[in-house]
Amino acid sequence: MRGYGDMHNENWLAAIKVIIFDMDGTLYQEDTFMERYIRYLLQGTEHEGETEAAISAGRAILRGEHPFQFGHFYHTQDNLVLVRQEESFIQGFTWEGSAINERAIAYGSLSSQAPYLIHIGDPWGIAAIVRHKYKLPEGKQQSAFERVRKEMILAPNHFRLRSDVFQAIEELTAVDKKILMTNTYLESGMEFLHYMNIRHLFEDVFCGAEKPLGLHSYFEILLKQGYEAHEILSIGDNPWNDLHPVKRMGGRTCFISPYPSCDPEVWDLRLKTLDELEQLMRAIQESITRRTISDGEDRAEAYKQEIQR
C-alpha cells in the first residue's frame, strides 16, 4: 500500500474528476469519544462493573493488540470474529483469543452471514461490539451514541478542527465534484458539518448514506452520468463501507486511518494522518493542473506545426 511519498509518481491522480469523502475519521481524527461511549453503554446495567475492562479491551483493539482486529467481522450471535478471504472466511477468534480453525470455514459465504456481521472498521464499530457482547438493548446504544455525538462538538470534549485540511479541499477546484457521504443520521451529520463549517465545500452531502450499499448505488449513478470508473476516488477510514464497493467497480481508493488493519486488500493510497490528506488534495490539484497545461501546450504545438506545413 502506498502513501504520500508516492503521490507525485501517481499518474492516475491527474485523471480524477470526482472525489467521495467519508466524514467521521476521515475529515477529523478523534477516538477519545470511544471511552465515554462504552461507559455510557454499560452505565446502569448489570455489567457496569466491567466498564474498565471493556474500555481497556477497546483500546487494545485500536492498537492491534487484541484478538479482535480492524478488518475482522464480528459475529453478533456467536461473539467471535471471522477473518475474510474474498467472499468466505478462513479463520476466526474468540474474545479470549482462541482460534476456531475449521469452524470459521463452516460459516460459509459472507453474504449468508451478513445479517449477523459487524465490520470492525473504526472506533464506532468497537462500541457496537461492546453492545452485542453484553447483550444490551438497541435503545441503550442509540441513546449512548446520540449523547456522545452531542458531546463531540461541545466543550470540553469537542474535537480539534483542521482548517488547513478544509482549505486544501476548498482549493481543490480542478475536479468536477466533491461529494460527502456519511452513515451518520441527518441531524447529527448536519450538526457536525456546521461545527466544522464545511458544508459549502461539497456539491452534494448524503447523511444516512447506508454505506456500503449506498456507495455502490451512488457509484453506479456517476457511471451513468458519463464518468469513467478510474476518474472516481473514494477516501475513507472504514474499508468495508468506504472503499471495497468502489474498488470492486474499478474506482480509485484511498484508505486513511492511524490504526493498524488486517484487511488484506491493497488500496491505491494508504494514509495515516490528516497532514497526508491535505498533501493529497494539493497533489491532485497540481497533477490535474499540470496535465491541463501540458495538454494545452501539446495542442498549440500541433496547431503550429499544421500551419507551418
Side-chain angles (χ1 to χ4, degrees), residues 61 66-84 89 92-95 107 110 113-121 125-136 141:
I61 296 173
H66 191 278
F68 288 24
Q69 304 256 318
F70 282 130
H72 288 165
F73 285 83
Y74 175 72
H75 199 286
T76 58
Q77 288 191 326
D78 297 344
N79 189 34
L80 48 77
V81 289
L82 297 168
V83 180
R84 180 187 69 89
F89 304 104
F93 299 94
T94 66
W95 181 261
Y107 277 93
L110 190 152
Q113 295 296 319
Y116 315 112
L117 298 178
I118 295 174
H119 180 255
I120 311 176
I126 295 174
I129 289 172
V130 171
R131 176 237 156 165
H132 285 279
K133 173 176 168 53
Y134 292 103
K135 297 180 172 56
L136 304 175
Q141 181 175 355

Short mmCIF file of all heavy atoms in Angstrom, two decimals, residues 61 66-84 89 92-95 107 110 113-121 125-136 141:
data_model
loop_
_atom_site.label_atom_id
_atom_site.label_comp_id
_atom_site.label_asym_id
_atom_site.label_seq_id
_atom_site.Cartn_x
_atom_site.Cartn_y
_atom_site.Cartn_z
N ILE A 61 -7.91 -3.11 20.96
CA ILE A 61 -8.32 -3.28 19.57
C ILE A 61 -7.77 -2.15 18.71
O ILE A 61 -7.25 -2.37 17.61
CB ILE A 61 -9.86 -3.37 19.45
CG1 ILE A 61 -10.38 -4.61 20.17
CG2 ILE A 61 -10.28 -3.39 17.98
CD1 ILE A 61 -11.90 -4.70 20.26
N HIS A 66 -5.29 -6.98 20.35
CA HIS A 66 -6.42 -7.80 20.83
C HIS A 66 -6.71 -8.84 19.75
O HIS A 66 -6.43 -8.61 18.57
CB HIS A 66 -7.63 -6.90 21.07
CG HIS A 66 -8.77 -7.56 21.79
ND1 HIS A 66 -9.70 -8.37 21.16
CD2 HIS A 66 -9.13 -7.51 23.11
CE1 HIS A 66 -10.58 -8.78 22.06
NE2 HIS A 66 -10.26 -8.30 23.24
N PRO A 67 -7.28 -10.00 20.14
CA PRO A 67 -7.66 -10.98 19.11
C PRO A 67 -8.62 -10.40 18.07
O PRO A 67 -8.61 -10.81 16.90
CB PRO A 67 -8.32 -12.10 19.91
CG PRO A 67 -7.74 -11.98 21.28
CD PRO A 67 -7.50 -10.52 21.51
N PHE A 68 -9.49 -9.48 18.49
CA PHE A 68 -10.38 -8.79 17.56
C PHE A 68 -9.61 -7.62 16.95
O PHE A 68 -9.05 -6.79 17.67
CB PHE A 68 -11.61 -8.25 18.29
CG PHE A 68 -12.60 -9.29 18.72
CD1 PHE A 68 -12.22 -10.61 18.93
CD2 PHE A 68 -13.93 -8.96 18.93
CE1 PHE A 68 -13.14 -11.57 19.33
CE2 PHE A 68 -14.86 -9.91 19.34
CZ PHE A 68 -14.45 -11.22 19.54
N GLN A 69 -9.58 -7.56 15.62
CA GLN A 69 -8.75 -6.57 14.93
C GLN A 69 -9.58 -5.80 13.91
O GLN A 69 -10.60 -6.28 13.41
CB GLN A 69 -7.61 -7.28 14.19
CG GLN A 69 -6.74 -8.16 15.05
CD GLN A 69 -5.40 -7.53 15.36
OE1 GLN A 69 -4.76 -6.93 14.52
NE2 GLN A 69 -4.97 -7.68 16.60
N PHE A 70 -9.11 -4.58 13.59
CA PHE A 70 -9.70 -3.86 12.48
C PHE A 70 -9.53 -4.71 11.22
O PHE A 70 -8.45 -5.24 10.95
CB PHE A 70 -9.02 -2.51 12.28
CG PHE A 70 -9.46 -1.46 13.25
CD1 PHE A 70 -8.54 -0.71 13.95
CD2 PHE A 70 -10.81 -1.22 13.47
CE1 PHE A 70 -8.95 0.27 14.85
CE2 PHE A 70 -11.23 -0.24 14.37
CZ PHE A 70 -10.29 0.49 15.06
N GLY A 71 -10.61 -4.83 10.45
CA GLY A 71 -10.60 -5.67 9.26
C GLY A 71 -11.31 -6.99 9.47
O GLY A 71 -11.67 -7.67 8.50
N HIS A 72 -11.55 -7.37 10.75
CA HIS A 72 -12.31 -8.58 11.05
C HIS A 72 -13.81 -8.28 11.00
O HIS A 72 -14.24 -7.13 11.03
CB HIS A 72 -11.97 -9.10 12.45
CG HIS A 72 -10.61 -9.71 12.56
ND1 HIS A 72 -10.00 -9.96 13.78
CD2 HIS A 72 -9.76 -10.15 11.62
CE1 HIS A 72 -8.82 -10.52 13.57
NE2 HIS A 72 -8.65 -10.64 12.28
N PHE A 73 -14.59 -9.36 10.97
CA PHE A 73 -16.04 -9.25 11.05
C PHE A 73 -16.51 -9.88 12.36
O PHE A 73 -16.23 -11.05 12.64
CB PHE A 73 -16.71 -9.96 9.86
CG PHE A 73 -16.60 -9.21 8.56
CD1 PHE A 73 -15.46 -9.30 7.79
CD2 PHE A 73 -17.64 -8.40 8.13
CE1 PHE A 73 -15.35 -8.60 6.60
CE2 PHE A 73 -17.53 -7.69 6.94
CZ PHE A 73 -16.39 -7.79 6.18
N TYR A 74 -17.22 -9.09 13.15
CA TYR A 74 -17.74 -9.59 14.42
C TYR A 74 -19.08 -10.25 14.19
O TYR A 74 -19.98 -9.68 13.56
CB TYR A 74 -17.89 -8.43 15.40
CG TYR A 74 -18.53 -8.81 16.71
CD1 TYR A 74 -17.84 -9.57 17.65
CD2 TYR A 74 -19.83 -8.40 17.01
CE1 TYR A 74 -18.44 -9.91 18.86
CE2 TYR A 74 -20.43 -8.73 18.21
CZ TYR A 74 -19.73 -9.49 19.14
OH TYR A 74 -20.32 -9.83 20.34
N HIS A 75 -19.24 -11.47 14.70
CA HIS A 75 -20.49 -12.21 14.58
C HIS A 75 -21.31 -11.96 15.84
O HIS A 75 -20.95 -12.41 16.93
CB HIS A 75 -20.22 -13.70 14.40
CG HIS A 75 -21.37 -14.46 13.83
ND1 HIS A 75 -22.50 -14.75 14.57
CD2 HIS A 75 -21.60 -14.96 12.58
CE1 HIS A 75 -23.36 -15.43 13.81
NE2 HIS A 75 -22.83 -15.57 12.60
N THR A 76 -22.42 -11.24 15.68
CA THR A 76 -23.18 -10.78 16.84
C THR A 76 -23.83 -11.91 17.63
O THR A 76 -24.04 -11.78 18.84
CB THR A 76 -24.27 -9.79 16.40
OG1 THR A 76 -25.13 -10.42 15.44
CG2 THR A 76 -23.65 -8.55 15.77
N GLN A 77 -24.15 -13.01 16.98
CA GLN A 77 -24.81 -14.11 17.68
C GLN A 77 -23.83 -14.98 18.45
O GLN A 77 -24.15 -15.50 19.52
CB GLN A 77 -25.60 -14.97 16.70
CG GLN A 77 -26.87 -14.31 16.16
CD GLN A 77 -27.75 -15.29 15.41
OE1 GLN A 77 -27.26 -16.21 14.75
NE2 GLN A 77 -29.05 -15.10 15.51
N ASP A 78 -22.62 -15.13 17.91
CA ASP A 78 -21.66 -16.07 18.48
C ASP A 78 -20.52 -15.42 19.24
O ASP A 78 -19.65 -16.11 19.78
CB ASP A 78 -21.10 -16.98 17.38
CG ASP A 78 -22.19 -17.82 16.72
OD1 ASP A 78 -23.28 -17.93 17.31
OD2 ASP A 78 -21.95 -18.35 15.62
N ASN A 79 -20.48 -14.07 19.27
CA ASN A 79 -19.46 -13.33 20.00
C ASN A 79 -18.05 -13.78 19.64
O ASN A 79 -17.23 -14.11 20.49
CB ASN A 79 -19.67 -13.44 21.51
CG ASN A 79 -18.76 -12.50 22.29
OD1 ASN A 79 -18.46 -11.40 21.83
ND2 ASN A 79 -18.31 -12.94 23.45
N LEU A 80 -17.77 -13.80 18.36
CA LEU A 80 -16.43 -14.08 17.87
C LEU A 80 -16.20 -13.29 16.60
O LEU A 80 -17.13 -12.68 16.06
CB LEU A 80 -16.23 -15.59 17.63
CG LEU A 80 -17.29 -16.37 16.83
CD1 LEU A 80 -17.17 -16.12 15.32
CD2 LEU A 80 -17.16 -17.86 17.11
N VAL A 81 -14.95 -13.27 16.13
CA VAL A 81 -14.66 -12.57 14.88
C VAL A 81 -14.25 -13.58 13.81
O VAL A 81 -13.69 -14.64 14.09
CB VAL A 81 -13.55 -11.51 15.03
CG1 VAL A 81 -14.03 -10.32 15.81
CG2 VAL A 81 -12.27 -12.09 15.59
N LEU A 82 -14.56 -13.21 12.57
CA LEU A 82 -14.23 -14.03 11.42
C LEU A 82 -13.29 -13.25 10.51
O LEU A 82 -13.42 -12.04 10.33
CB LEU A 82 -15.50 -14.41 10.65
CG LEU A 82 -16.51 -15.27 11.43
CD1 LEU A 82 -17.83 -15.34 10.69
CD2 LEU A 82 -15.94 -16.66 11.68
N VAL A 83 -12.32 -13.98 9.94
CA VAL A 83 -11.33 -13.39 9.05
C VAL A 83 -11.73 -13.70 7.62
O VAL A 83 -11.86 -14.88 7.25
CB VAL A 83 -9.92 -13.95 9.34
CG1 VAL A 83 -8.89 -13.31 8.40
CG2 VAL A 83 -9.55 -13.70 10.80
N ARG A 84 -11.94 -12.66 6.83
CA ARG A 84 -12.44 -12.81 5.46
C ARG A 84 -11.32 -13.11 4.48
O ARG A 84 -10.22 -12.59 4.58
CB ARG A 84 -13.14 -11.52 5.04
CG ARG A 84 -13.71 -11.53 3.61
CD ARG A 84 -14.22 -10.16 3.23
NE ARG A 84 -13.13 -9.20 3.08
CZ ARG A 84 -12.47 -8.99 1.93
NH1 ARG A 84 -12.79 -9.65 0.84
NH2 ARG A 84 -11.49 -8.09 1.88
N PHE A 89 -14.77 -17.17 4.69
CA PHE A 89 -13.96 -16.97 5.89
C PHE A 89 -12.93 -18.09 6.02
O PHE A 89 -13.21 -19.25 5.73
CB PHE A 89 -14.86 -16.94 7.13
CG PHE A 89 -15.93 -15.89 7.05
CD1 PHE A 89 -17.25 -16.24 6.77
CD2 PHE A 89 -15.63 -14.55 7.21
CE1 PHE A 89 -18.24 -15.27 6.68
CE2 PHE A 89 -16.61 -13.57 7.11
CZ PHE A 89 -17.92 -13.93 6.85
N GLY A 92 -11.06 -17.61 12.47
CA GLY A 92 -11.84 -16.83 13.41
C GLY A 92 -11.23 -16.92 14.79
O GLY A 92 -10.39 -17.79 15.05
N PHE A 93 -11.65 -16.01 15.68
CA PHE A 93 -11.10 -15.98 17.03
C PHE A 93 -12.19 -15.65 18.04
O PHE A 93 -13.09 -14.86 17.76
CB PHE A 93 -9.98 -14.92 17.15
CG PHE A 93 -8.82 -15.18 16.23
CD1 PHE A 93 -8.77 -14.59 14.98
CD2 PHE A 93 -7.79 -16.03 16.62
CE1 PHE A 93 -7.71 -14.83 14.12
CE2 PHE A 93 -6.73 -16.27 15.77
CZ PHE A 93 -6.68 -15.68 14.52
N THR A 94 -12.08 -16.25 19.22
CA THR A 94 -12.95 -15.88 20.33
C THR A 94 -12.42 -14.61 20.98
O THR A 94 -11.29 -14.18 20.72
CB THR A 94 -13.00 -17.00 21.38
OG1 THR A 94 -11.69 -17.12 21.98
CG2 THR A 94 -13.40 -18.33 20.74
N TRP A 95 -13.24 -14.02 21.84
CA TRP A 95 -12.82 -12.82 22.56
C TRP A 95 -11.54 -13.06 23.34
O TRP A 95 -10.69 -12.18 23.46
CB TRP A 95 -13.96 -12.40 23.50
CG TRP A 95 -13.69 -11.16 24.30
CD1 TRP A 95 -13.28 -11.09 25.60
CD2 TRP A 95 -13.87 -9.80 23.87
NE1 TRP A 95 -13.17 -9.79 26.00
CE2 TRP A 95 -13.53 -8.96 24.95
CE3 TRP A 95 -14.26 -9.21 22.67
CZ2 TRP A 95 -13.57 -7.57 24.89
CZ3 TRP A 95 -14.33 -7.82 22.60
CH2 TRP A 95 -13.97 -7.01 23.70
N TYR A 107 -18.90 -21.34 8.40
CA TYR A 107 -19.84 -20.23 8.35
C TYR A 107 -20.30 -19.93 6.93
O TYR A 107 -21.28 -19.23 6.73
CB TYR A 107 -19.24 -18.97 8.99
CG TYR A 107 -19.37 -18.95 10.49
CD1 TYR A 107 -18.35 -19.44 11.30
CD2 TYR A 107 -20.51 -18.46 11.10
CE1 TYR A 107 -18.47 -19.43 12.69
CE2 TYR A 107 -20.64 -18.45 12.49
CZ TYR A 107 -19.62 -18.94 13.28
OH TYR A 107 -19.75 -18.94 14.64
N LEU A 110 -19.89 -14.86 3.06
CA LEU A 110 -20.09 -13.62 3.80
C LEU A 110 -21.54 -13.14 3.65
O LEU A 110 -22.15 -12.71 4.62
CB LEU A 110 -19.11 -12.56 3.29
CG LEU A 110 -19.00 -11.26 4.07
CD1 LEU A 110 -17.61 -10.66 3.90
CD2 LEU A 110 -20.04 -10.24 3.65
N GLN A 113 -24.06 -14.70 5.98
CA GLN A 113 -23.93 -14.32 7.38
C GLN A 113 -24.14 -12.82 7.61
O GLN A 113 -24.13 -12.35 8.75
CB GLN A 113 -22.54 -14.72 7.91
CG GLN A 113 -22.28 -16.21 7.93
CD GLN A 113 -23.21 -16.94 8.88
OE1 GLN A 113 -23.49 -16.47 9.99
NE2 GLN A 113 -23.69 -18.10 8.46
N ALA A 114 -24.32 -12.08 6.53
CA ALA A 114 -24.36 -10.61 6.60
C ALA A 114 -25.27 -10.05 7.69
O ALA A 114 -24.90 -9.07 8.36
CB ALA A 114 -24.74 -10.04 5.23
N PRO A 115 -26.47 -10.62 7.92
CA PRO A 115 -27.34 -10.03 8.95
C PRO A 115 -26.74 -10.07 10.36
O PRO A 115 -27.18 -9.33 11.23
CB PRO A 115 -28.61 -10.90 8.88
CG PRO A 115 -28.58 -11.50 7.51
CD PRO A 115 -27.14 -11.72 7.20
N TYR A 116 -25.76 -10.93 10.57
CA TYR A 116 -25.19 -11.10 11.90
C TYR A 116 -23.80 -10.49 12.04
O TYR A 116 -23.15 -10.64 13.08
CB TYR A 116 -25.10 -12.60 12.25
CG TYR A 116 -26.34 -13.37 11.90
CD1 TYR A 116 -26.34 -14.31 10.88
CD2 TYR A 116 -27.54 -13.15 12.59
CE1 TYR A 116 -27.48 -15.02 10.54
CE2 TYR A 116 -28.68 -13.86 12.27
CZ TYR A 116 -28.65 -14.79 11.23
OH TYR A 116 -29.79 -15.49 10.91
N LEU A 117 -23.33 -9.81 11.00
CA LEU A 117 -21.94 -9.36 10.99
C LEU A 117 -21.83 -7.85 11.18
O LEU A 117 -22.62 -7.08 10.63
CB LEU A 117 -21.27 -9.74 9.67
CG LEU A 117 -21.15 -11.24 9.36
CD1 LEU A 117 -20.51 -11.44 8.00
CD2 LEU A 117 -20.34 -11.95 10.44
N ILE A 118 -20.83 -7.45 11.95
CA ILE A 118 -20.43 -6.05 12.07
C ILE A 118 -18.97 -5.97 11.63
O ILE A 118 -18.11 -6.66 12.20
CB ILE A 118 -20.57 -5.53 13.51
CG1 ILE A 118 -22.03 -5.52 13.95
CG2 ILE A 118 -19.98 -4.13 13.64
CD1 ILE A 118 -22.22 -5.17 15.42
N HIS A 119 -18.70 -5.16 10.63
CA HIS A 119 -17.31 -4.98 10.23
C HIS A 119 -16.61 -4.08 11.23
O HIS A 119 -17.11 -3.00 11.56
CB HIS A 119 -17.24 -4.37 8.83
CG HIS A 119 -15.83 -4.15 8.35
ND1 HIS A 119 -15.23 -2.92 8.32
CD2 HIS A 119 -14.91 -5.04 7.92
CE1 HIS A 119 -14.00 -3.05 7.86
NE2 HIS A 119 -13.78 -4.32 7.62
N ILE A 120 -15.46 -4.51 11.71
CA ILE A 120 -14.68 -3.69 12.64
C ILE A 120 -13.78 -2.80 11.79
O ILE A 120 -12.71 -3.21 11.35
CB ILE A 120 -13.85 -4.54 13.61
CG1 ILE A 120 -14.71 -5.63 14.26
CG2 ILE A 120 -13.24 -3.66 14.70
CD1 ILE A 120 -13.95 -6.57 15.16
N GLY A 121 -14.25 -1.59 11.54
CA GLY A 121 -13.50 -0.71 10.65
C GLY A 121 -13.10 0.60 11.28
O GLY A 121 -12.27 1.33 10.72
N GLY A 125 -17.26 0.99 15.52
CA GLY A 125 -17.53 -0.44 15.45
C GLY A 125 -17.17 -1.15 16.74
O GLY A 125 -17.81 -2.14 17.11
N ILE A 126 -16.15 -0.66 17.43
CA ILE A 126 -15.76 -1.26 18.71
C ILE A 126 -16.88 -1.10 19.73
O ILE A 126 -17.21 -2.04 20.46
CB ILE A 126 -14.46 -0.63 19.22
CG1 ILE A 126 -13.30 -0.96 18.26
CG2 ILE A 126 -14.13 -1.12 20.63
CD1 ILE A 126 -12.00 -0.26 18.60
N ALA A 127 -17.48 0.08 19.77
CA ALA A 127 -18.60 0.31 20.69
C ALA A 127 -19.77 -0.60 20.35
O ALA A 127 -20.46 -1.12 21.25
CB ALA A 127 -19.02 1.77 20.65
N ALA A 128 -20.01 -0.82 19.06
CA ALA A 128 -21.10 -1.72 18.65
C ALA A 128 -20.84 -3.14 19.13
O ALA A 128 -21.77 -3.86 19.53
CB ALA A 128 -21.24 -1.68 17.12
N ILE A 129 -19.58 -3.56 19.12
CA ILE A 129 -19.22 -4.89 19.62
C ILE A 129 -19.55 -4.99 21.11
O ILE A 129 -20.11 -6.00 21.58
CB ILE A 129 -17.72 -5.17 19.39
CG1 ILE A 129 -17.45 -5.39 17.91
CG2 ILE A 129 -17.27 -6.40 20.18
CD1 ILE A 129 -15.98 -5.48 17.58
N VAL A 130 -19.19 -3.96 21.86
CA VAL A 130 -19.45 -3.96 23.31
C VAL A 130 -20.95 -4.12 23.58
O VAL A 130 -21.36 -4.89 24.45
CB VAL A 130 -18.92 -2.67 23.96
CG1 VAL A 130 -19.39 -2.56 25.41
CG2 VAL A 130 -17.39 -2.64 23.88
N ARG A 131 -21.76 -3.42 22.81
CA ARG A 131 -23.20 -3.52 22.98
C ARG A 131 -23.68 -4.96 22.80
O ARG A 131 -24.46 -5.49 23.60
CB ARG A 131 -23.90 -2.59 21.99
CG ARG A 131 -25.43 -2.72 22.03
CD ARG A 131 -25.99 -3.09 20.68
NE ARG A 131 -27.28 -3.74 20.83
CZ ARG A 131 -28.12 -3.91 19.82
NH1 ARG A 131 -27.82 -3.48 18.62
NH2 ARG A 131 -29.25 -4.55 20.01
N HIS A 132 -23.20 -5.63 21.75
CA HIS A 132 -23.63 -7.00 21.48
C HIS A 132 -23.00 -8.00 22.45
O HIS A 132 -23.66 -8.97 22.86
CB HIS A 132 -23.31 -7.38 20.04
CG HIS A 132 -24.23 -6.76 19.05
ND1 HIS A 132 -25.48 -7.27 18.76
CD2 HIS A 132 -24.09 -5.66 18.26
CE1 HIS A 132 -26.08 -6.51 17.85
NE2 HIS A 132 -25.25 -5.53 17.53
N LYS A 133 -21.75 -7.78 22.81
CA LYS A 133 -21.08 -8.70 23.74
C LYS A 133 -21.84 -8.79 25.06
O LYS A 133 -21.98 -9.87 25.63
CB LYS A 133 -19.64 -8.24 23.98
CG LYS A 133 -18.91 -9.05 25.06
CD LYS A 133 -17.46 -8.62 25.19
CE LYS A 133 -16.81 -9.20 26.42
NZ LYS A 133 -16.95 -10.67 26.54
N TYR A 134 -22.35 -7.64 25.52
CA TYR A 134 -23.07 -7.62 26.79
C TYR A 134 -24.59 -7.68 26.61
O TYR A 134 -25.34 -7.47 27.56
CB TYR A 134 -22.67 -6.38 27.59
CG TYR A 134 -21.23 -6.42 28.05
CD1 TYR A 134 -20.25 -5.68 27.40
CD2 TYR A 134 -20.84 -7.24 29.11
CE1 TYR A 134 -18.92 -5.72 27.82
CE2 TYR A 134 -19.52 -7.30 29.53
CZ TYR A 134 -18.57 -6.54 28.87
OH TYR A 134 -17.25 -6.60 29.28
N LYS A 135 -25.00 -7.95 25.38
CA LYS A 135 -26.42 -8.15 25.06
C LYS A 135 -27.29 -6.98 25.57
O LYS A 135 -28.33 -7.17 26.21
CB LYS A 135 -26.91 -9.48 25.64
CG LYS A 135 -26.20 -10.69 25.04
CD LYS A 135 -26.70 -11.99 25.63
CE LYS A 135 -26.14 -13.19 24.90
NZ LYS A 135 -24.66 -13.23 24.85
N LEU A 136 -26.86 -5.78 25.24
CA LEU A 136 -27.59 -4.58 25.63
C LEU A 136 -28.64 -4.25 24.58
O LEU A 136 -28.44 -4.52 23.39
CB LEU A 136 -26.61 -3.40 25.77
CG LEU A 136 -25.45 -3.63 26.75
CD1 LEU A 136 -24.50 -2.45 26.72
CD2 LEU A 136 -25.98 -3.85 28.17
N GLN A 141 -27.84 1.57 23.06
CA GLN A 141 -26.77 2.02 22.17
C GLN A 141 -27.14 3.34 21.50
O GLN A 141 -26.30 4.24 21.39
CB GLN A 141 -26.47 0.97 21.10
CG GLN A 141 -25.35 1.41 20.15
CD GLN A 141 -24.95 0.34 19.16
OE1 GLN A 141 -25.44 -0.78 19.18
NE2 GLN A 141 -24.05 0.69 18.26
#
